[in-house]
Amino acid sequence: MRLDKRGDHGMHAEAGKSCRKTGTQVARGARGTLGVRAVGRFSLALLALASVAVQAAPIDAGASQVSATFRQLGVPVSGKFRQIQGDVDFDPARPAAARANIEIAVQSFDLGDKDYNAEVAKKDWFDAARHPKAAFSLKQVQGNGAQLRADGVLVVKGRSMPVQFPVSIKSVAGKTHLEGRLPVSRLAFSIGEGEWKDTSLVADEVMIEFRLVVAASMPPAAAPNPSRQTESPKDSGKESRK
């Protein structure tokens, strides 16, 4: 057998290069595995956060109620909106995170007389043909326990106004009731134009009273633990061989 001109030193050098190459490949593989596991943990963390969110619940339109009371020639007159819809997102443990979006069909305002109902739907009043819906968006709830204050935005006849009012929240027969009273200026929303702007005929203040009924909040589903890394059978086999 003839030795390479490099002799034993050449053979040792080649062996060293091979070992370094193998070590580099192992290190790259380890970094790749750690990267995949890091991405996996991050994804699980996002899933955990998503699962904590409380789902918005639709209101029970049959049990919910919105009414408006005003004075005409000093006499109180009340009517009810017969068509309301929306949803409420409320967790008693996190009242500040409460949200709600409610829509009301103004054509459904019922004063108990069909002629009156037809009159208030006209242009000088709700102008239901051009603005068929009024809307309320709850942006924030402040306070603790039963004494809470709501902040939101009321939209009527295309006009948007910030509003703030006290609200009470209680549980009745397995459902959550949100109740409150909100005084508003009808003239601020152009309700009652022309001769009806005269507040000696119809007072400016209108008291809106509401009761929104939704299913009681359910506890969130158990969230996955982002600190645990589930290994595939293939990975487990590798660990065993090590």
Side-chain angles (χ1 to χ4, degrees):
M1 179 177 69
R2 190 178 67 175
L3 293 175
D4 188 272
K5 291 182 179 180
R6 292 173 294 179
D8 291 341
H9 293 293
M11 294 176 67
H12 287 311
E14 290 297 329
K17 289 181 180 179
S18 178
C19 289
R20 287 195 297 273
K21 182 177 181 182
T22 302
T24 301
Q25 291 173 341
V26 170
R28 288 176 177 172
R31 287 197 297 270
T33 301
L34 290 174
V36 170
R37 289 182 178 179
V39 171
R41 290 193 180 101
F42 180 68
S43 299
L44 287 172
L46 290 179
L47 288 173
L49 289 173
S51 66
V52 171
V54 177
Q55 296 297 316
I59 65 170
D60 182 340
S64 299
Q65 180 176 298
V66 178
S67 65
T69 301
F70 56 94
R71 287 183 174 273
Q72 183 171 6
L73 298 175
V75 179
V77 179
S78 295
K80 293 180 180 180
F81 293 93
R82 300 296 185 184
Q83 296 176 25
I84 59 177
Q85 63 181 9
D87 52 63
V88 176
D89 183 341
F90 177 76
D91 180 355
R94 301 183 303 123
R99 297 290 183 272
N101 291 287
I102 307 299
E103 288 189 342
I104 301 170
V106 296
Q107 186 78 46
S108 71
F109 190 53
D110 185 4
L111 287 164
D113 182 283
K114 64 178 184 179
D115 292 332
Y116 290 168
N117 294 349
E119 179 64 30
V120 296
K122 292 180 179 179
K123 182 179 179 180
D124 284 349
W125 296 93
F126 284 122
D127 196 3
R130 294 181 58 196
H131 306 285
K133 292 183 178 180
F136 171 72
S137 296
L138 176 65
K139 302 299 183 183
Q140 179 178 273
V141 174
Q142 304 178 59
N144 295 300
Q147 301 301 315
L148 301 172
R149 180 165 292 276
D151 291 277
V153 176
L154 180 64
V155 180
V156 182
K157 205 173 181 180
R159 294 174 178 260
S160 176
M161 298 283 179
V163 292
Q164 187 180 76
F165 53 91
V167 60
S168 66
I169 301 174
K170 57 186 178 181
S171 179
V172 179
K175 294 186 176 183
T176 300
H177 287 220
L178 291 84
E179 301 179 357
R181 304 175 75 226
L182 169 62
V184 298
S185 162
R186 68 177 180 87
L187 294 179
F189 293 97
S190 296
I191 304 297
E193 297 187 76
E195 64 177 325
W196 297 111
K197 286 185 178 180
D198 186 349
T199 55
S200 67
L201 296 176
V202 179
D204 183 36
E205 183 179 275
V206 177
M207 182 63 68
I208 299 175
E209 297 182 77
F210 66 88
R211 180 179 69 239
L212 303 178
V213 180
V214 296
S217 298
M218 299 297 291
N225 187 345
S227 65
R228 294 182 61 186
Q229 174 65 33
T230 303
E231 294 182 342
S232 66
K234 184 178 180 180
D235 291 336
S236 299
K238 289 181 180 178
E239 294 295 331
S240 299
R241 287 194 295 275
K242 289 180 181 178

